[in-house]
mmCIF file of all heavy atoms in Angstrom:
data_model
loop_
_atom_site.group_PDB
_atom_site.id
_atom_site.type_symbol
_atom_site.label_atom_id
_atom_site.label_comp_id
_atom_site.label_asym_id
_atom_site.label_seq_id
_atom_site.Cartn_x
_atom_site.Cartn_y
_atom_site.Cartn_z
ATOM 1 N N ASN M 723 -1.721 -0.727 -5.670
ATOM 2 C CA ASN M 723 -3.130 -0.933 -5.767
ATOM 3 C C ASN M 723 -3.495 -1.565 -7.085
ATOM 4 O O ASN M 723 -2.949 -1.011 -8.166
ATOM 5 C CB ASN M 723 -3.980 0.231 -5.492
ATOM 6 C CG ASN M 723 -3.963 0.673 -3.931
ATOM 7 O OD1 ASN M 723 -2.957 1.267 -3.595
ATOM 8 N ND2 ASN M 723 -4.973 0.385 -3.207
ATOM 9 N N GLN M 747 -2.249 -4.839 -3.497
ATOM 10 C CA GLN M 747 -3.373 -4.510 -2.630
ATOM 11 C C GLN M 747 -4.613 -4.102 -3.255
ATOM 12 O O GLN M 747 -4.624 -3.503 -4.428
ATOM 13 C CB GLN M 747 -2.880 -3.548 -1.473
ATOM 14 C CG GLN M 747 -2.383 -2.187 -2.059
ATOM 15 C CD GLN M 747 -1.989 -1.344 -0.812
ATOM 16 O OE1 GLN M 747 -1.665 -1.872 0.237
ATOM 17 N NE2 GLN M 747 -1.652 -0.101 -1.218
ATOM 18 N N ASP M 782 -6.473 -3.306 1.417
ATOM 19 C CA ASP M 782 -6.109 -1.937 1.720
ATOM 20 C C ASP M 782 -7.276 -1.177 2.441
ATOM 21 O O ASP M 782 -8.420 -1.381 1.933
ATOM 22 C CB ASP M 782 -5.808 -1.260 0.460
ATOM 23 C CG ASP M 782 -5.084 0.133 0.660
ATOM 24 O OD1 ASP M 782 -4.507 0.271 1.643
ATOM 25 O OD2 ASP M 782 -5.105 0.948 -0.388
ATOM 26 N N HIS M 783 -7.123 -0.585 3.548
ATOM 27 C CA HIS M 783 -8.057 0.198 4.232
ATOM 28 C C HIS M 783 -9.429 -0.536 4.479
ATOM 29 O O HIS M 783 -10.507 -0.156 4.195
ATOM 30 C CB HIS M 783 -8.380 1.426 3.497
ATOM 31 C CG HIS M 783 -7.327 2.414 3.429
ATOM 32 N ND1 HIS M 783 -6.909 3.280 4.551
ATOM 33 C CD2 HIS M 783 -6.363 2.780 2.538
ATOM 34 C CE1 HIS M 783 -5.890 3.945 4.280
ATOM 35 N NE2 HIS M 783 -5.647 3.778 2.978
ATOM 36 N N MET M 802 -5.590 -4.821 6.169
ATOM 37 C CA MET M 802 -5.385 -3.739 6.919
ATOM 38 C C MET M 802 -6.823 -3.418 7.685
ATOM 39 O O MET M 802 -7.849 -3.302 6.988
ATOM 40 C CB MET M 802 -5.239 -2.460 6.091
ATOM 41 C CG MET M 802 -5.093 -1.145 6.760
ATOM 42 S SD MET M 802 -4.826 0.213 5.741
ATOM 43 C CE MET M 802 -4.474 1.436 6.935
ATOM 44 N N ASP M 804 -8.316 -0.557 9.311
ATOM 45 C CA ASP M 804 -8.010 0.851 9.440
ATOM 46 C C ASP M 804 -9.073 1.384 10.492
ATOM 47 O O ASP M 804 -10.047 1.932 10.044
ATOM 48 C CB ASP M 804 -8.187 1.648 8.164
ATOM 49 C CG ASP M 804 -7.816 3.134 8.312
ATOM 50 O OD1 ASP M 804 -7.688 3.501 9.471
ATOM 51 O OD2 ASP M 804 -7.892 3.770 7.330
ATOM 52 N N GLU M 839 -2.100 -5.220 9.238
ATOM 53 C CA GLU M 839 -1.624 -3.857 9.169
ATOM 54 C C GLU M 839 -2.736 -3.026 9.952
ATOM 55 O O GLU M 839 -4.047 -3.187 9.797
ATOM 56 C CB GLU M 839 -1.468 -3.188 7.797
ATOM 57 C CG GLU M 839 -1.151 -1.718 7.656
ATOM 58 C CD GLU M 839 -0.916 -1.256 6.274
ATOM 59 O OE1 GLU M 839 -0.718 -2.088 5.476
ATOM 60 O OE2 GLU M 839 -1.288 -0.099 6.154
ATOM 61 N N GLU M 841 -3.684 1.121 11.666
ATOM 62 C CA GLU M 841 -3.408 2.589 11.399
ATOM 63 C C GLU M 841 -3.625 3.352 12.670
ATOM 64 O O GLU M 841 -4.717 3.276 13.327
ATOM 65 C CB GLU M 841 -4.088 3.151 10.299
ATOM 66 C CG GLU M 841 -3.834 4.727 10.134
ATOM 67 C CD GLU M 841 -4.226 5.175 8.586
ATOM 68 O OE1 GLU M 841 -4.161 4.445 7.564
ATOM 69 O OE2 GLU M 841 -4.429 6.526 8.593
ATOM 70 N N LEU M 845 -4.675 10.205 8.027
ATOM 71 C CA LEU M 845 -3.983 11.050 6.950
ATOM 72 C C LEU M 845 -4.676 12.341 6.774
ATOM 73 O O LEU M 845 -5.937 12.400 6.959
ATOM 74 C CB LEU M 845 -4.028 10.176 5.605
ATOM 75 C CG LEU M 845 -2.682 9.356 5.389
ATOM 76 C CD1 LEU M 845 -2.534 8.340 6.438
ATOM 77 C CD2 LEU M 845 -2.770 8.672 3.988
ATOM 78 N N HIS M 852 -10.571 7.891 1.045
ATOM 79 C CA HIS M 852 -10.130 7.426 2.452
ATOM 80 C C HIS M 852 -9.426 8.575 3.151
ATOM 81 O O HIS M 852 -8.502 9.177 2.579
ATOM 82 C CB HIS M 852 -8.998 6.248 2.261
ATOM 83 C CG HIS M 852 -9.525 5.164 1.412
ATOM 84 N ND1 HIS M 852 -10.296 4.138 1.891
ATOM 85 C CD2 HIS M 852 -9.351 4.959 0.187
ATOM 86 C CE1 HIS M 852 -10.566 3.397 0.904
ATOM 87 N NE2 HIS M 852 -9.998 3.727 -0.168
ATOM 88 N N HIS M 891 -4.063 10.928 0.521
ATOM 89 C CA HIS M 891 -4.094 10.081 -0.674
ATOM 90 C C HIS M 891 -4.337 10.965 -1.854
ATOM 91 O O HIS M 891 -4.802 12.205 -1.716
ATOM 92 C CB HIS M 891 -5.382 9.181 -0.457
ATOM 93 C CG HIS M 891 -5.217 8.048 0.508
ATOM 94 N ND1 HIS M 891 -5.910 8.000 1.653
ATOM 95 C CD2 HIS M 891 -4.343 7.136 0.519
ATOM 96 C CE1 HIS M 891 -5.460 6.942 2.318
ATOM 97 N NE2 HIS M 891 -4.580 6.344 1.681
ATOM 98 N N MET M 924 3.917 3.625 4.989
ATOM 99 C CA MET M 924 3.703 4.974 4.634
ATOM 100 C C MET M 924 2.507 4.960 3.485
ATOM 101 O O MET M 924 2.717 4.357 2.509
ATOM 102 C CB MET M 924 4.918 5.634 3.990
ATOM 103 C CG MET M 924 5.761 6.428 4.989
ATOM 104 S SD MET M 924 7.236 6.981 4.127
ATOM 105 C CE MET M 924 6.685 8.403 3.376
ATOM 106 N N HIS M 925 1.423 5.586 3.951
ATOM 107 C CA HIS M 925 0.295 5.647 3.060
ATOM 108 C C HIS M 925 0.481 6.989 2.263
ATOM 109 O O HIS M 925 1.274 7.789 2.581
ATOM 110 C CB HIS M 925 -1.134 5.686 3.664
ATOM 111 C CG HIS M 925 -1.641 4.311 4.001
ATOM 112 N ND1 HIS M 925 -2.610 3.642 3.529
ATOM 113 C CD2 HIS M 925 -1.004 3.314 4.925
ATOM 114 C CE1 HIS M 925 -2.755 2.502 4.004
ATOM 115 N NE2 HIS M 925 -1.795 2.229 4.821
ATOM 116 N N GLY M 926 -0.278 7.202 1.143
ATOM 117 C CA GLY M 926 -0.265 8.356 0.425
ATOM 118 C C GLY M 926 1.143 8.750 -0.098
ATOM 119 O O GLY M 926 1.683 9.854 -0.127
ATOM 120 N N ASN M 968 2.813 2.641 0.256
ATOM 121 C CA ASN M 968 1.647 2.559 -0.637
ATOM 122 C C ASN M 968 1.690 3.492 -1.832
ATOM 123 O O ASN M 968 1.665 4.700 -1.609
ATOM 124 C CB ASN M 968 0.364 2.670 0.153
ATOM 125 C CG ASN M 968 0.095 1.604 1.136
ATOM 126 O OD1 ASN M 968 0.813 0.707 1.379
ATOM 127 N ND2 ASN M 968 -1.187 1.608 1.737
HETATM 128 ZN ZN1 LIG P 2411 -3.780 4.427 2.095
#
Side-chain angles (χ1 to χ4, degrees):
N723 289 74
Q747 58 187 7
D782 192 22
H783 291 285
M802 175 183 191
D804 183 355
E839 173 184 336
E841 175 160 334
L845 262 66
H852 307 277
H891 291 115
M924 269 175 80
H925 280 247
N968 284 15

